[in-house]
Amino acid sequence: MSRLNFEQLCLEFPEKKQKNIQFADLWERLEIKLKQMLAQNKTRGSFLANFQQVIDDYNSGSLSIEEAYEALIRQAEALNEEQQRAAKNEMTEAEQELFDLLKKEKLTKEEEKSVKLAAQTLLEKLFDAKNKILIQEWHKEKTTQEKVRWEIQQILGQHLPEPGYNRLVFSQKVDVTFQHFYGLAQMGLGFVA
């Protein structure tokens, strides 16, 4: 997908005889790419919503095939940019996802650094086998759940910037983060072997 020349595709599309095939091919490629990217980072749901809106508008007849194709091309460009965001931010995909869950609107550069450090530190601490925090099946026991939640609170308490993260926001971020790791554990992921 990243190797496609989107400008060229847009220019050539009106001249194509089998527009429906070209459109369906791009649609399918984007759908596959979206599923992969959402599996890596669940905060990318807005991309899926935008994609679905284009498809719905096309199916309802409010967009011509040319307009829908151009909209999908713009979506593909945005996906390529999003896919490179973690690397640009010098983060892993897991760190980027956690950062996205922890961030709030309008962060200063210093706050952004603190939230980035919180995400990185949290992943390091929780996934360090020596700490025995995210053990297999941790999500099934109340005591291990409490241990994970406590570790999350401790690390976020050390790194999330004040006063931007007041008690309410802090509590919400702890809950969101706990639910993130809990969801991973339910899927058989997110524990140290």
Side-chain angles (χ1 to χ4, degrees):
M1 180 78 58
S2 61
R3 289 180 244 121
L4 294 176
N5 182 337
F6 297 113
E7 286 181 32
Q8 190 67 31
L9 287 174
C10 267
L11 291 173
E12 292 174 358
F13 187 72
E15 299 167 9
K16 298 284 182 182
K17 291 183 179 171
Q18 298 176 333
K19 291 180 183 178
N20 289 340
I21 294 172
Q22 290 289 120
F23 180 73
D25 183 47
L26 181 59
W27 176 347
E28 184 179 340
R29 284 181 179 199
L30 276 175
E31 198 167 32
I32 291 167
K33 188 67 173 169
L34 271 167
K35 286 178 184 175
Q36 292 170 345
M37 290 178 68
L38 278 169
Q40 290 177 325
N41 184 337
K42 64 184 168 214
T43 66
R44 294 173 170 156
S46 63
F47 289 94
L48 181 60
N50 293 340
F51 171 76
Q52 194 58 53
Q53 186 63 53
V54 171
I55 299 306
D56 291 346
D57 289 348
Y58 171 71
N59 286 335
S60 71
S62 42
L63 285 180
S64 69
I65 193 166
E66 290 83 4
E67 292 168 326
Y69 190 81
E70 283 184 37
L72 289 184
I73 290 289
R74 286 191 301 276
Q75 284 270 314
E77 289 171 329
L79 285 177
N80 281 340
E81 194 173 304
E82 171 63 19
Q83 193 169 20
Q84 297 168 15
R85 188 168 59 103
K88 284 180 184 175
N89 291 333
E90 299 175 346
M91 300 172 89
T92 65
E93 282 291 338
E95 291 169 345
Q96 184 67 59
E97 181 177 33
L98 196 51
F99 173 84
D100 291 344
L101 291 170
L102 291 173
K103 74 179 180 182
K104 63 182 192 70
E105 294 291 317
K106 299 180 183 176
L107 290 174
T108 66
K109 287 291 182 193
E110 282 304 310
E111 289 174 329
E112 193 173 300
K113 285 180 187 176
S114 295
V115 175
K116 186 176 177 180
L117 182 60
Q120 292 167 332
T121 304
L122 188 58
L123 286 169
E124 286 172 17
K125 177 90 176 199
L126 294 180
F127 284 104
D128 186 344
K130 290 180 273 179
N131 295 326
K132 296 183 181 178
I133 298 169
L134 292 183
I135 58 173
Q136 194 167 0
E137 307 283 318
W138 69 265
H139 65 291
K140 293 183 178 181
E141 298 285 330
K142 190 73 173 157
T143 55
T144 51
Q145 287 178 25
E146 289 171 6
K147 182 178 180 181
V148 171
R149 183 178 291 279
W150 186 84
E151 288 292 343
I152 291 169
Q153 285 175 327
Q154 294 304 303
I155 293 167
L156 295 185
Q158 292 170 2
H159 296 288
L160 290 182
E162 290 186 41
Y165 285 76
N166 60 34
R167 281 185 158 211
L168 177 62
V169 174
F170 178 80
S171 178
Q172 290 170 342
K173 295 304 179 181
V174 168
D175 289 342
V176 164
T177 304
F178 178 81
Q179 289 304 317
H180 169 68
F181 287 107
Y182 189 87
L184 289 175
Q186 284 183 312
M187 293 187 296
L189 308 168
F191 61 86
V192 180

